[in-house]
């Protein structure tokens, strides 16, 4: 039986990290986790990482699409935080960010790691940005690297 499985070490991968500025008090922790995972665990060279700041989570899909269409990156890590409030705004922003990023990955055939927190409150966001529940930015970065390696294996198989 042939088994294809990605590894996280990808020292030559070119990675774009797209981060929303809105809710930056949470997102900066996601970014720290993602960059640490890319460099320390994934062994990605700093010069192979591009950081792009978008206004908010709603804008992430378009920015990600432009990066994917450039064909300059092996994977893209999208980071942001959407916290539920008292209106339906949460559903619109979280839903569009999620479906938009998924569409980019499928249409551009570039791995797009979903590191967008969608939480009920600020406490949940803090927990997922480096405290009790780990760092979802780091997890997204590792997923991106594993996908780079897995797709390369599939292409060779």
């Amino acid at each position: 039986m042939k088994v294809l499985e990605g590894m996280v070490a990808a020292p030559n991968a070119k990675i774009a990290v797209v981060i929303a500025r809105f809710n930056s008090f949470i997102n900066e922790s996601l970014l720290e986790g993602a960059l640490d995972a890319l460099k320390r665990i994934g062994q990605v060279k700093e010069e192979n990482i591009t950081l792009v700041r978008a206004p908010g989570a709603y804008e992430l899909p378009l920015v990600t699409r432009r990066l994917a269409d450039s064909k300059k990156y092996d994977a893209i890590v999208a980071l942001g935080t959407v916290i539920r409030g008292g209106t339906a705004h949460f559903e619109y922003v979280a839903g569009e960010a999620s479906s938009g990023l998924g569409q980019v990955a499928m249409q551009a055939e570039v791995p797009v790691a979903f590191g967008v927190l969608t939480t009920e409150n600020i406490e949940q966001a803090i927990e997922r940005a480096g405290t009790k529940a780990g760092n979802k930015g780091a997890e997204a970065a590792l997923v991106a690297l594993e996908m780079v390696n897995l797709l390369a294996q599939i292409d060779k198989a």
Side-chain angles (χ1 to χ4, degrees):
M1 168 173 58
K2 188 172 199 169
V3 176
L4 304 178
E5 187 175 22
M7 302 172 300
V8 293
N12 296 316
K14 293 192 178 2
I15 307 295
V17 178
V18 184
I19 183 169
R21 283 196 317 266
F22 195 80
N23 286 324
S24 64
F25 66 100
I26 299 292
N27 298 344
E28 290 302 316
S29 293
L30 296 173
L31 177 61
E32 287 177 26
L35 294 176
D36 180 59
L38 289 172
K39 293 182 210 174
R40 192 171 49 82
I41 300 170
Q43 304 167 12
V44 178
K45 299 174 187 113
E46 187 151 349
E47 60 267 17
N48 287 352
I49 302 171
T50 300
L51 177 62
V52 180
R53 293 187 183 273
Y58 187 83
E59 292 77 25
L60 290 174
L62 177 58
V63 174
T64 301
R65 180 59 189 251
R66 187 63 57 97
L67 290 165
D69 287 347
S70 76
K71 306 288 187 205
K72 294 178 185 175
Y73 304 100
D74 298 308
I76 302 166
V77 180
L79 303 174
T81 303
V82 185
I83 301 170
R84 186 179 300 280
T87 68
H89 185 257
F90 172 88
E91 280 81 12
Y92 294 115
V93 174
E96 290 301 317
S98 175
S99 65
L101 291 169
Q103 286 177 14
V104 171
M106 294 302 292
Q107 292 171 358
E109 296 186 5
V110 173
V112 176
F114 188 77
V116 179
L117 301 179
T118 54
T119 64
E120 294 294 320
N121 52 52
I122 292 170
E123 292 77 22
Q124 286 180 353
I126 291 169
E127 288 175 2
R128 288 159 178 74
T131 60
K132 291 181 186 177
N135 188 304
K136 301 305 178 188
E139 290 177 20
L142 295 175
V143 166
L145 295 175
E146 187 172 343
M147 286 298 293
V148 167
N149 286 320
L150 180 58
L151 293 179
Q153 285 182 36
I154 291 169
D155 289 345
K156 290 179 186 175

